């Protein structure tokens, strides 16, 4: 499965993920082969990209839980959109609390790891889908951390609201993507996040939100979101802020954006692990206990250039699965300390197609030797005569 930008779609490509409308009705089923009309229809959705199956790749199996989650994400995204749009227009909305309760019921009580689906995104729905995904991750994390229910609810509410201020940012700034923003534009975005927080009216809380929710959203607006800038030491950061910060960055890194391709779960987790001062290990560990990072059936690249497939996930430590090498069917147990010193998993495989690729312009740069050109000329002349004589 590959991530393909909308501008690079071609007829004949097959969808790896279904596409739904706002009512949760499936418009395009997975494994659907794209037509010019289908591509035009998908482009009208304003998506940045979609996930495509490789030519010989079968559609991966979807569990009942995967299908239900896909529908839940679709319907809940528009439910959150309606609520946030009201808040940003100065109209009180009680649905934030109700939606947070629904998320906690659906995901807070899970006793197994979740296959966290990457949803399709566009400029129009990025904020809503990002906040919703962050809320789902936060619900699973606070449940495993065994926080009291009132605290869990407050944190999930904060997740649904933490980036609402981005809805006020001019579209031309958001379209640039994270990498192309200037320092002035970054400060401007932080200002809009603060304005979004103020529109929740934290002083008199007319929306009836938990006090902890407002405190966490307020702290989230004070984060630099840059690991090169140390966290302010004069702030007593709430546990819920750490939960949201970790979940939000994980979703941001593994989801599509205007300027970057989504990272794999293992690369995103390693980034979080490398910056312990920003993302405390306690919360990153809990995150990895909630979702599949290297599930069974996942194809991986190793540091020594070899490739393999995970045949047994390690539920205790995602980085130590059982792997079979493609080259010689050798079984590797990454929980073995000796093996860990010899090699490690770099990333999931981006493609199963290992053929060399060259476009027509690249091929034009290469010329054959005179003998090969002469043989080719004689072959084509002979073929031309046979075709003219009706013998081919």
């Amino acid at each position: 499965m590959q991530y393909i930008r909308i501008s690079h779609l071609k007829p004949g490509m097959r969808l790896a993920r279904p596409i739904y409308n706002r009512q949760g009705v499936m418009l395009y089923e997975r494994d659907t082969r794209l037509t010019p009309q289908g591509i035009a229809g998908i482009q009208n959705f304003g998506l940045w990209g979609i996930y495509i199956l490789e030519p010989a790749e079968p559609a991966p199996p979807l569990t009942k839980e995967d299908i239900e989650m896909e529908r839940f994400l679709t319907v809940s995204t528009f439910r959150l959109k309606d609520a946030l749009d009201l808040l940003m227009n100065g109209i009180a909305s009680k649905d934030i609390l109700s939606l947070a309760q629904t998320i906690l019921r659906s995901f807070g009580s899970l006793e197994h790891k979740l296959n966290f689906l990457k949803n399709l995104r566009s400029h129009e729905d990025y904020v809503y889908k990002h906040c919703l995904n962050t809320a789902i991750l936060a619900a699973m994390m606070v449940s495993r951390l065994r926080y009291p229910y009132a605290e869990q609810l407050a944190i999930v509410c904060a997740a649904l609201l933490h980036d609402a201020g981005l809805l006020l940012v001019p579209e031309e700034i958001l379209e640039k993507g994270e990498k192309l923003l200037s320092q002035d534009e970054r400060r401007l975005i932080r200002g809009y996040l603060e304005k979004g927080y103020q529109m929740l009216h934290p002083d008199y809380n007319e929306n009836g939100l938990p006090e902890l929710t407002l405190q966490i959203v307020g702290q989230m607006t004070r984060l630099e979101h840059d690991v090169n800038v140390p966290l302010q030491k004069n702030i007593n950061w709430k546990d819920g802020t750490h939960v949201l910060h970790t979940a939000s960055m994980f979703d941001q890194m593994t989801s599509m954006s205007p300027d970057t391709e989504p990272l794999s779960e293992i690369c995103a987790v390693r980034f979080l692990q490398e910056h312990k001062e920003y993302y405390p290990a306690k919360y990153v560990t809990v995150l990895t206990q909630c979702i599949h990072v290297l599930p069974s059936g996942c194809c991986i690249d190793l540091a020594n250039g070899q490739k393999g497939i995970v045949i047994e996930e390690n539920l205790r430590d995602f980085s130590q699965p059982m792997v079979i090498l493609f080259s010689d069917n050798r079984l590797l147990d990454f929980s073995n300390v000796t093996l860990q010193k010899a090699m490690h998993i770099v990333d999931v495989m981006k493609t199963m197609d290992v053929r060399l690729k060259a476009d027509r312009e690249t091929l034009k740069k290469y010329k054959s030797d005179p003998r090969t050109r002469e043989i080719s000329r004689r072959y084509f002349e002979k073929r031309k005569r046979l075709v003219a004589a009706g013998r081919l």
Side-chain angles (χ1 to χ4, degrees):
M1 184 170 71
Q2 292 181 302
Y3 171 72
I4 303 293
R5 294 197 173 276
I6 290 295
S7 58
H8 296 161
L9 292 180
K10 296 178 181 178
M13 288 182 171
R14 295 178 299 135
L15 292 178
R17 298 280 305 281
I19 298 177
Y20 296 84
N21 66 9
R22 67 176 295 165
Q23 284 76 37
V25 177
M26 186 185 298
L27 301 179
Y28 297 93
E29 192 172 3
R30 68 197 190 104
D31 210 17
T32 297
R33 198 172 292 276
L34 293 178
T35 63
Q37 295 80 6
I39 293 174
I42 293 173
Q43 288 173 336
N44 289 334
F45 294 150
L47 299 173
W48 292 320
I50 58 177
Y51 294 98
I52 292 294
L53 295 171
E54 296 189 81
E57 182 182 3
L62 278 181
T63 65
K64 183 179 179 180
E65 184 178 59
D66 292 337
I67 296 171
E68 288 303 316
M69 183 175 179
E70 190 92 49
R71 288 175 179 162
F72 179 87
L73 288 170
T74 301
V75 175
S76 297
T77 294
F78 291 101
R79 182 178 171 185
L80 178 60
K81 179 182 185 304
D82 291 340
L84 290 184
D85 288 353
L86 285 175
L87 290 174
M88 293 300 100
N89 283 288
I91 304 173
S93 172
K94 302 298 183 183
D95 202 32
I96 292 294
L97 199 60
S98 175
L99 180 56
Q101 291 169 336
T102 301
I103 292 171
L104 272 173
R105 280 196 304 272
S106 301
F107 300 97
S109 59
L110 292 181
E111 296 181 353
H112 59 275
K113 289 190 175 186
L114 184 69
N115 182 24
F116 198 69
L117 301 176
K118 299 178 180 179
N119 47 14
L120 307 180
R121 300 188 181 183
S122 67
H123 290 295
E124 288 73 21
D125 62 19
Y126 175 81
V127 174
Y128 311 112
K129 288 184 175 179
H130 171 61
C131 288
L132 179 62
N133 276 19
T134 301
I136 292 172
L137 290 171
M140 293 187 287
M141 291 171 67
V142 294
S143 176
R144 286 188 178 261
L145 289 165
R146 301 190 183 282
Y147 291 166
Y149 180 78
E151 188 174 352
Q152 292 183 28
L153 185 61
I155 293 171
V156 175
C157 281
L160 293 171
L161 295 165
H162 77 284
D163 264 354
L166 291 179
L167 297 171
L168 306 172
V169 179
E171 188 174 332
E172 60 271 16
I173 294 180
L174 287 181
E175 285 180 350
K176 285 188 171 184
E178 180 70 21
K179 289 186 176 181
L180 298 179
L181 292 173
S182 66
Q183 288 301 317
D184 288 340
E185 288 169 334
R186 292 177 190 276
R187 283 192 289 270
L188 186 64
I189 289 176
R190 285 190 62 196
Y192 279 114
L193 287 172
E194 174 65 27
K195 185 176 180 180
Y197 166 62
Q198 293 300 329
M199 291 183 75
L200 299 177
H201 305 295
D203 296 330
Y204 52 91
N205 191 13
E206 66 177 9
N207 296 298
L209 297 168
E211 183 64 30
L212 179 58
T213 293
L214 296 172
Q215 293 172 358
I216 293 172
V217 174
Q219 287 192 346
M220 288 294 288
T221 65
R222 303 182 68 178
L223 288 169
E224 291 285 349
H225 299 285
D226 182 351
V227 293
N228 297 312
V229 180
L231 286 177
Q232 298 178 48
K233 301 295 184 181
N234 61 333
I235 297 177
N236 181 23
W237 299 102
K238 302 287 185 183
D239 289 344
T241 304
H242 288 305
V243 170
L244 249 62
H245 195 201
T246 302
S248 177
M249 179 54 70
F250 177 82
D251 179 72
Q252 182 179 324
M253 297 181 74
T254 57
S255 299
M256 58 184 67
S257 64
D259 59 336
T260 57
E261 292 191 9
L263 293 180
S264 65
E265 286 80 358
I266 188 172
C267 284
V269 168
R270 281 178 176 158
F271 174 86
L272 299 175
Q273 290 175 330
E274 289 169 3
H275 299 92
K276 291 183 175 63
E277 291 185 2
Y278 230 69
Y279 310 98
K282 170 184 176 180
Y283 303 99
V284 179
T285 299
V286 168
L287 173 64
T288 64
Q289 293 170 349
C290 296
I291 59 172
H292 294 293
V293 178
L294 289 176
S296 298
C298 175
C299 296
I300 57 171
D301 287 322
L302 301 176
N304 62 359
Q306 298 237 50
K307 302 178 185 295
I309 184 170
V310 175
I311 61 166
E312 185 178 333
E313 181 181 10
N314 190 320
L315 298 179
R316 184 181 57 83
D317 186 341
F318 72 89
S319 65
Q320 299 177 1
M322 297 282 285
V323 174
I324 285 184
L325 293 181
F326 289 150
S327 59
D328 55 10
N329 289 332
R330 184 155 45 105
L331 180 65
L332 303 179
D333 181 359
F334 277 89
S335 63
N336 185 307
V337 178
T338 304
L339 178 62
Q340 293 173 20
K341 295 178 180 178
M343 66 175 71
H344 68 275
I345 299 171
V346 175
D347 199 354
V348 300
M349 287 178 60
K350 299 294 190 246
T351 176
M352 297 290 288
D353 188 348
V354 295
R355 294 174 297 175
L356 295 175
K357 296 179 176 62
D359 55 42
R360 292 183 181 277
E361 292 303 315
T362 301
L363 292 174
K364 289 178 181 178
K365 299 177 182 178
Y366 296 91
K367 296 182 179 180
S368 56
D369 59 88
R371 182 173 179 275
T372 302
R373 289 200 298 271
E374 177 60 22
I375 293 173
S376 298
R377 184 188 65 78
R378 285 163 27 202
Y379 166 80
F380 283 113
E381 285 183 355
K382 183 175 181 180
R383 187 177 185 281
K384 186 176 180 180
R385 290 196 298 271
L386 292 172
V387 169
R391 295 168 60 184
L392 276 182

